[in-house]
Amino acid sequence: LTEHIGISLFRTLTGFALGVLFGVPVGLLAGYSRRAGAMISPIMAFIRPIPPIAFIPMAVLYFGLGEVGKIVLIFFVSFNYVQANAQAGAANFPIAYRRAAESLGLTKAQTFYRIVLPGALPQIFTGLKVALALSWAVVVAAELVGAQSGLGFMISDAALLFRIPVVFIGIALIGAIGLILNLTLNLIEHKIVHWKGR
């Protein structure tokens, strides 16, 4: 059981971390720069409506049943939602803040790091929560289809052998671990975005 949980968490957190690593900078760039936004937004608008589960057969076909395919799938999911929220956060900060920064003589880089980035953080964390929840759900779905380990595989294997208690335990663990991941992200948000709601 612990091995299945550990493998599922490894796949989820690795893909999620890569999605955050690339999604946040791309989203901030698209939201802060109109030119970058004009290039990136149509591409993301085309990709985002495609259900992540639709890519599971392709991931199995191109990457096999190993770890790479599942991590790429999680990366795709987390990147989509993190990028969208980072872009929204960077694009929707009050114009009065930018004018105040210009009147104080701040450079574009200073305006970005001191005003745009802190202002976008609440929206970024909203995206992180959605992306993490979906990443956890998608990795389980991917393991149901093509895997030899993980909670999804455990549930699928138990269902085929009519071990119903194992199925219920797996489902309960998915919900419990998802709750723990969300609470952890809430604590991190509370520490970093300590001014939110004040």
Side-chain angles (χ1 to χ4, degrees):
L1 181 60
T2 55
E3 181 181 350
H4 287 308
I5 293 172
I7 290 171
S8 292
L9 282 173
F10 168 77
R11 292 165 177 162
T12 300
L13 296 179
T14 302
F16 174 73
L18 290 172
V20 173
L21 185 65
F22 288 94
V24 170
V26 171
L28 290 174
L29 177 65
Y32 186 60
S33 169
R34 290 184 179 179
R35 183 176 298 177
M39 292 190 306
I40 295 171
S41 294
I43 299 172
M44 298 308 300
F46 173 79
I47 295 173
R48 198 168 291 120
I50 302 173
I53 296 176
F55 288 101
I56 292 177
M58 294 177 62
V60 173
L61 178 65
Y62 287 105
F63 300 105
L65 298 177
E67 303 302 322
V68 177
K70 295 168 188 60
I71 291 173
V72 168
L73 191 65
I74 298 306
F75 166 78
F76 172 78
V77 173
S78 58
F79 178 87
N80 274 342
Y81 288 92
V82 170
Q83 188 275 336
N85 281 271
Q87 180 174 347
N92 295 330
F93 75 98
I95 190 65
Y97 291 177
R98 177 175 292 192
R99 290 174 179 168
E102 291 173 353
S103 68
L104 291 171
L106 269 66
T107 64
K108 287 187 176 181
Q110 289 173 325
T111 302
F112 178 80
Y113 285 109
R114 296 188 179 185
I115 297 175
V116 177
L117 181 57
L121 278 177
Q123 190 81 22
I124 289 173
F125 269 97
T126 299
L128 294 181
K129 292 174 188 176
V130 175
L132 185 57
L134 287 174
S135 296
W136 181 240
V138 167
V139 77
V140 173
E143 290 169 350
L144 286 169
V145 177
Q148 300 299 319
S149 57
L151 282 175
F153 167 77
M154 185 187 81
I155 293 171
S156 177
D157 185 61
L160 289 173
L161 299 174
F162 295 97
R163 293 187 292 167
I164 305 304
V166 176
V167 174
F168 282 116
I169 290 170
I171 292 171
L173 280 172
I174 291 169
I177 294 170
L179 176 62
I180 292 170
L181 291 174
N182 185 69
L183 290 174
T184 303
L185 207 50
N186 282 337
L187 288 174
I188 296 172
E189 180 185 18
H190 182 70
K191 292 290 184 182
I192 296 177
V193 195
H194 51 82
W195 65 86
K196 183 179 179 181
R198 296 181 181 179

